[in-house]
Amino acid sequence: DAGVTQSPTHLIKTRGQHVTLRCSPISGHKSVSWYQQVLGQGPQFIFQYYEKEERGRGNFPDRFSARQFPNYSSELNVNALLLGDSALYLCASSTITGGSWEQFFGPGTRLTVL
Amino acid sequence: GQQVMQIPQYQHVQEGEDFTTYCNSSTTLSNIQWYKQRPGGHPVFLIQLVKSGEVKKQKRLTFQFGEAKKNSSLHITATQTTDVGTYFCAAHSGGSNYKLTFGKGTLLTVNP
């Protein structure tokens, strides 16, 4: 079975630009979460979507937005990019059934803002 | 907001030595998870602990959840070079909030 896929793998943008990151969850998983991981730190929670509805939001500015599509894939959008947005953006899918909160992470998108 | 403190930040051991990382929260947790991230890779789920005082073992790895459900530990017996990576705890506070809070991780390096 295919794991979580993310695109693109790497991305270079300049300050002020907009970026869209994409994620496809494991087949059958209805929950998708987005995390930002800065080098040397743990993943920081950005959003969680379940059944196309936002179920959780981390402490990120309104420049960050996301959505989940009917096929459970998801997009993360970041507007007005800042240098500090440079990070690895991870998508994770899960089933959230039977009390298991196991997150299956994708390989991530490495975003560099110049 | 909820914070999860993890220590130590770094640990260097000789192959064959034991290793332990600790995770602490100021609030009671619904459950705690442990992940391993190899250099250049993504976090991979190791285990989830739910019950107070729970202890789970996976080969050389032993995971514990404190009685008060505010702390947890991961112990590796007789480390191997394949154990190299960053170990993260991640806490879920429960309820309808699906937010998972990660600790900063412990980077383990193993000298062969």
Side-chain angles (χ1 to χ4, degrees), chain A residues 34-36 44-48 56-58 60 64 76 89:
Chain A
W34 287 95
Y35 296 85
Q36 180 195 67
Q44 273 204 295
F45 175 83
I46 309 176
F47 288 110
Q48 196 260 348
R57 174 184 283 256
F60 281 81
F64 289 76
L76 175 69
Y89 287 85

Side-chain angles (χ1 to χ4, degrees), chain B residues 5-47:
Chain B
M5 307 302 293
Q6 194 173 350
I7 57 169
Q9 190 174 359
Y10 306 98
Q11 185 78 59
H12 178 73
V13 299
Q14 290 292 127
E15 190 172 22
E17 292 182 337
D18 292 355
F19 159 77
T20 305
T21 174
Y22 300 90
C23 189
N24 293 285
S25 169
S26 58
T27 60
T28 302
L29 303 172
S30 172
N31 63 67
I32 196 157
Q33 301 173 17
W34 287 91
Y35 291 80
K36 176 183 178 181
Q37 186 173 23
R38 295 182 185 274
H42 58 272
V44 174
F45 177 84
L46 295 176
I47 210 157

Side-chain angles (χ1 to χ4, degrees), chain A residues 27-80:
Chain A
S27 178
H29 286 192
K30 298 180 179 180
S31 169
V32 169
S33 297
W34 287 95
Y35 296 85
Q36 180 195 67
Q37 187 175 28
V38 175
L39 194 62
Q41 301 291 318
Q44 273 204 295
F45 175 83
I46 309 176
F47 288 110
Q48 196 260 348
Y49 278 79
Y50 180 68
E51 287 282 17
K52 295 158 288 200
E53 290 188 6
E54 183 184 301
R55 296 299 183 95
R57 174 184 283 256
N59 297 324
F60 281 81
D62 292 343
R63 299 184 296 108
F64 289 76
S65 63
R67 55 179 175 168
Q68 186 176 33
F69 299 99
N71 66 353
Y72 302 110
S73 66
S74 178
E75 282 184 355
L76 175 69
N77 295 283
V78 187
N79 292 323

